[in-house]
């Protein structure tokens, strides 16, 4: 900002876009009521900076749309998590990531709608404010659960957004809406003040239109200088970051020649899955060619080799009825593909297990720990269930943890303990769940053995589904490839646009993974690929507003698609 544009003008222009367009997408739950006052106060600071020739903070006056599970004091808005049950949940302090962004000069513009409780990867719908629609095709899903922040960033309702990702929910919505989304390593960023889904997999992070914007916000989210310990004591897993060296600014990795010399593995079993949309396969083939043209070496058939817990390796997305080199056809389960499973046991006693057991009570326990100090009158999952304060679509996701997971996580956290006879995988973290620790170690070893810097696969194998046509029975698979490898290992991943589907006009996405705490490599590769292809095309339904109204105060009710500005 050189004085030609004020913070107030910038924020007002984004509010005008929300007023004009969000009746179509329902991406925004509520604009922060006093955000124009915040912008006006920053105009005073801006004038001082400009008069003194002082360099502005990296995110100065950047309006951010945050997912509705981030605690934020701005405007005294509830952190609703998409749920009617939490419309009274007024936080007493900022989440750590919100505080970090604001310390770098950002403005919290609004709360974005989301899938209730962050349950689903398929769609963003909740009891608080309804369904979010994809800006590229309003009859199609945004994916879940960060659909609102992603739709808002895509339709340019804010300069950048912040979402959360347990299995998919930054990368899926980013991919469906032509954006860059970064899921960082577990422990790299803090989850304190974010309503959890499964804290042992949850991550908060940036959703933006460019790799540059994502790198800038990620710089703020990885600055722990506000903590004397070097990590966030409210999220002890961030102590793992003390074992690594961290750059002070991730924009240093924005190098258009960043592909030079990189070795990138292809998880071919995902890329060649017969359920993939043929055009997405073609886009991915072109992406491999582009990466190679940019100076990278593409290594086909990367897989994770070795397994000290059983005698079958992980191979991504192959039918688990396949036989292996010794001719044995191993016992199978109902999980279809082994992307989210790990093989335990030997010979006839071997089986595929979910890397985290389905009956784990993490959601209930993690949520109730959060609710115990939250502002809401809802204090337990049972209370929410008994009062009926949830969307019908999440009924089984609530009743399962209540009536099927009737034990404590403490009973299953010990190394090599089991939930039921014969099971090895537990409910724990990437370091104390034997299966997660094994796949993490084997991922790193396998990358080392092939001298890989990163690995790639399509972010999703199929286009966004039509809203109301989300059941996979009788239809093509959703194609969500984000769920298994990266959340299980705690390794980072980034998605970047791969071009529009020529038939549907919806975005396709390339996913890039790396070793834990190696986000710098992801940013290098994603930026170089982005700059050489420039695939992102903004959604055509949301052009620039002409003669925008200058906002002074705001009130929005996104659920009904109405907004007023005075």
């Amino acid at each position: 900002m050189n004085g030609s544009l004020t913070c107030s003008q910038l924020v007002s222009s984004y509010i005008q876009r929300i007023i004009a367009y969000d009746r179509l997408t329902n991406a925004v739950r509520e604009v922060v009521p006093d955000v124009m006052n915040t912008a006006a106060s920053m105009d005073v600071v801006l004038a001082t900076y400009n008069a003194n020739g002082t360099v502005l903070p990296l995110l100065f006056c950047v309006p951010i749309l945050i997912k509705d599970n981030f605690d934020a004091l701005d405007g005294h808005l509830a952190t609703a998590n998409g749920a009617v049950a939490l419309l009274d949940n007024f936080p007493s302090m900022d989440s750590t990531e919100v505080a970090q962004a604001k310390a770098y000069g950002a403005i919290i513009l609004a709360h974005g709608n989301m899938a209730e409780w962050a349950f689903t990867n398929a769609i963003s719908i909740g009891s608080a404010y309804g369904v979010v629609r994809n800006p590229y095709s309003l009859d199609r899903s945004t994916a879940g659960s960060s659909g609102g922040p992603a739709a808002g960033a895509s339709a340019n309702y804010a300069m950048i957004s912040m979402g959360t990702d347990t299995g998919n929910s930054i990368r899926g919505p980013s991919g469906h809406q032509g954006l860059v989304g970064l899921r960082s390593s577990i422990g790299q960023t803090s989850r304190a003040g974010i309503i959890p889904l499964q804290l042992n997999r949850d991550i908060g992070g940036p959703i933006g239109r460019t790799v540059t914007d994502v790198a800038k916000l990620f710089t703020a989210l990885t600055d722990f200088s506000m903590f004397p310990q070097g990590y966030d004591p409210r999220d002890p897993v961030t102590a793992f970051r003390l074992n690594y060296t961290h750059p002070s600014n991730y924009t240093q990795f924005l190098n258009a020649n960043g592909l030079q010399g990189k070795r990138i593995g292809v998880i071919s079993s995902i890329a060649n899955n017969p359920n993939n949309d043929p055009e997405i396969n073609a886009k991915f083939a072109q992406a491999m060619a582009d990466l190679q043209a940019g100076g990278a070496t593409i290594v086909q058939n990367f897989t994770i080799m070795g397994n000290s817990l059983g005698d079958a390796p992980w191979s991504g997305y192959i039918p688990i009825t396949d036989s292996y080199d010794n001719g044995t056809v191993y016992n199978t389960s109902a999980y279809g593909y082994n992307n989210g499973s790990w093989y335990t046991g030997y010979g006839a006693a071997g089986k595929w297990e979910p890397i985290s057991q389905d009956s784990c009570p993490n959601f209930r326990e993690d949520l109730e720990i959060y609710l115990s100090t939250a502002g809401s009158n809802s204090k337990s999952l049972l209370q929410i269930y008994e009062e009926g304060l949830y969307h019908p679509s999440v009924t089984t996701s609530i009743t399962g943890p209540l009536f099927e997971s009737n034990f404590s996580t403490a009973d299953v956290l010990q190394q090599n303990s089991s939930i039921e006879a014969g099971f090895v995988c537990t409910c724990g973290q990437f370091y104390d769940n034997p299966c997660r620790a094994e796949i993490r170690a084997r991922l790193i070893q396998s990358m080392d053995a092939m001298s890989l810097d990163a690995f790639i696969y399509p972010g999703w194998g199929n286009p966004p589904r039509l809203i109301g046509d989300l059941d996979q029975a009788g239809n093509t698979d959703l194609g969500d490839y984000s769920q298994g490898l990266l959340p299980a290992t705690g390794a980072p991943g980034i998605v970047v646009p791969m071009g529009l589907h020529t038939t549907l006009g919806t975005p396709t996405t390339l996913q890039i993974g790396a070793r834990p705490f190696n986000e710098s490599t992801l940013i290098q590769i994603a930026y170089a690929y982005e700059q050489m292809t420039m695939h992102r095309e903004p959604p055509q339904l949301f052009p620039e507003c002409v003669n925008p109204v200058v906002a002074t105060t705001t009130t929005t009710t996104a659920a009904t698609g109405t907004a007023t500005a005075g």
Side-chain angles (χ1 to χ4, degrees):
M1 285 186 168
N2 58 10
S4 61
L5 179 70
T6 67
C7 290
S8 295
Q9 290 169 330
L10 179 64
V11 171
S12 178
S13 68
Y14 280 115
I15 293 172
Q16 176 61 22
R17 289 190 63 81
I18 294 170
I19 292 170
Y21 290 130
D22 194 41
R23 65 195 68 201
L24 300 177
T25 55
N26 196 35
V28 177
R29 181 172 79 81
E30 193 166 1
V31 172
V32 172
D34 59 356
V35 67
M36 292 306 301
N37 294 335
T38 302
S41 66
M42 296 189 79
D43 284 337
V44 177
V45 177
L46 176 63
T48 302
Y49 275 129
N50 288 336
N52 296 336
T54 306
V55 177
L56 293 172
L58 190 61
L59 300 177
F60 186 80
C61 198
V62 169
I64 297 181
L65 174 61
I66 62 171
K67 189 175 180 178
D68 200 28
N69 57 354
F70 284 86
D71 282 343
L73 294 175
D74 306 79
H76 193 59
L77 293 183
T79 308
N81 207 32
V84 167
L86 297 187
L87 286 175
D88 64 345
N89 183 33
F90 299 102
S92 59
M93 64 185 301
D94 286 331
S95 65
T96 295
E97 288 199 351
V98 165
Q100 288 167 316
K102 287 161 67 172
Y104 270 65
I107 293 176
I108 304 304
L109 173 67
H111 288 217
N113 284 329
M114 58 177 285
E116 183 166 352
W117 309 109
F119 276 141
T120 178
N121 62 334
I123 189 171
S124 291
I125 189 171
S127 58
Y129 286 94
V131 65
V132 186
R133 297 182 177 273
N134 192 316
Y136 287 87
S137 182
L138 296 174
D139 59 351
R140 292 190 178 269
S141 170
T142 59
S145 59
S146 303
S154 184
N156 201 11
Y157 299 161
M159 195 169 287
I160 196 167
S161 293
M162 287 165 54
T164 61
D165 188 315
T166 305
N168 159 81
S169 297
I170 286 174
R171 294 160 294 149
S174 294
H176 271 18
Q177 290 163 106
L179 300 168
V180 179
L182 175 59
R183 176 193 168 93
S184 65
S185 307
I186 295 178
Q188 179 71 282
T189 55
S190 174
R191 291 82 51 85
I194 299 174
I195 299 178
L197 176 55
Q198 292 184 41
L199 195 58
N200 64 21
R201 293 176 179 237
D202 291 345
I203 279 292
I207 296 172
R209 291 183 290 276
T210 67
V211 179
T212 298
D213 289 347
V214 164
K216 289 180 178 180
L217 180 52
F218 191 62
T219 295
L221 302 184
T222 55
D223 184 346
F224 281 69
S225 59
M226 64 176 62
F227 300 108
Q229 309 93 325
Y231 69 93
D232 184 355
R234 289 204 295 155
D235 185 7
V237 78
T238 55
F240 275 89
R241 69 190 319 276
L242 300 178
N243 299 321
Y244 299 84
T245 300
H246 304 279
S248 60
N249 193 326
Y250 280 88
T251 62
Q252 66 182 285
F253 302 107
L254 300 174
N255 178 4
N257 297 314
L259 290 170
Q260 293 289 334
K262 294 292 191 297
R263 286 177 57 83
I264 301 174
V266 179
I267 302 182
S268 303
S269 58
I270 295 179
N272 299 329
N273 189 314
N275 291 320
N276 290 351
D277 180 273
E279 185 164 340
I280 290 179
N281 283 344
K283 297 285 188 187
F284 183 73
Q286 183 60 51
M288 288 189 289
D290 291 337
L291 291 166
Q292 189 165 6
T297 298
I298 301 300
V299 181
Q300 295 289 343
N301 299 317
F302 171 60
T303 189
I304 300 172
M305 299 305 298
N307 181 7
S308 68
L309 301 179
D311 54 6
W314 184 95
S315 296
Y317 273 78
I318 61 171
I320 61 176
T321 54
D322 276 8
S323 59
Y324 293 89
D325 291 341
N326 64 4
T328 303
V329 178
Y330 293 97
N331 291 351
T332 61
S333 65
Y335 301 108
Y337 291 93
N338 70 1
N339 178 55
S341 302
W342 191 253
Y343 201 86
T344 64
Y346 300 88
K351 61 185 174 301
W352 290 106
E353 293 186 43
I355 293 172
S356 287
Q357 293 292 340
D358 292 342
S359 53
C360 290
N362 299 79
F363 167 64
R364 170 172 53 83
E365 293 187 350
D366 293 343
L367 175 65
E368 290 177 359
I369 289 171
Y370 171 88
L371 292 176
S372 67
T373 59
S376 175
N377 288 322
S378 296
K379 293 300 181 185
S380 72
L381 188 60
L382 181 61
Q383 177 188 350
I384 292 165
Y385 170 72
E386 290 177 339
E387 294 176 358
L389 300 176
Y390 55 88
H391 192 274
S393 64
V394 302
T395 300
T396 58
S397 297
I398 288 177
T399 57
L402 279 175
F403 305 120
E404 297 174 19
S405 306
N406 54 4
F407 52 84
S408 168
T409 303
D411 297 333
V412 294
L413 279 178
Q414 290 75 29
Q415 184 78 2
N416 294 322
S417 64
S418 60
I419 292 174
E420 53 186 292
F423 282 84
V424 176
C425 304
T426 70
C427 302
Q429 299 273 1
F430 63 83
Y431 53 84
D432 62 9
N433 175 336
C435 297
R436 294 183 68 182
E438 179 75 8
I439 190 173
R440 179 184 174 98
R442 297 297 179 176
L443 170 65
I444 296 169
Q445 292 170 10
S446 299
M447 292 184 71
D448 290 347
M450 300 182 76
S451 301
L452 297 183
D453 298 287
F455 50 89
I456 57 171
Y457 46 93
W460 276 55
N462 281 297
R465 297 294 287 271
L466 290 168
I467 294 171
D469 182 30
L470 301 174
D471 188 352
Q472 294 186 42
N475 297 303
T476 57
D477 289 340
L478 289 173
D480 175 7
Y481 294 138
S482 296
Q483 296 286 336
L485 183 57
L486 300 181
T489 60
I494 194 169
V495 295
V496 64
M498 201 166 62
L500 295 182
H501 194 287
T502 54
T503 304
L504 300 175
T506 52
T508 64
T509 185
L510 174 68
Q511 184 147 193
I512 311 165
R515 293 173 178 82
F517 293 92
N518 199 9
E519 288 83 359
S520 56
T521 294
L522 294 181
I523 289 171
Q524 278 185 311
I525 293 172
Y527 180 76
Y529 173 74
E530 173 196 60
Q531 293 302 298
M532 73 179 295
T533 60
M534 300 302 289
H535 278 312
R536 184 178 192 273
E537 299 178 39
Q540 297 181 359
L541 292 174
F542 301 88
E544 181 179 357
C545 286
V546 179
N547 298 322
V549 175
V550 176
T552 55
T553 61
T554 63
T555 304
T556 67
T557 307
T560 60
T562 62
T564 60

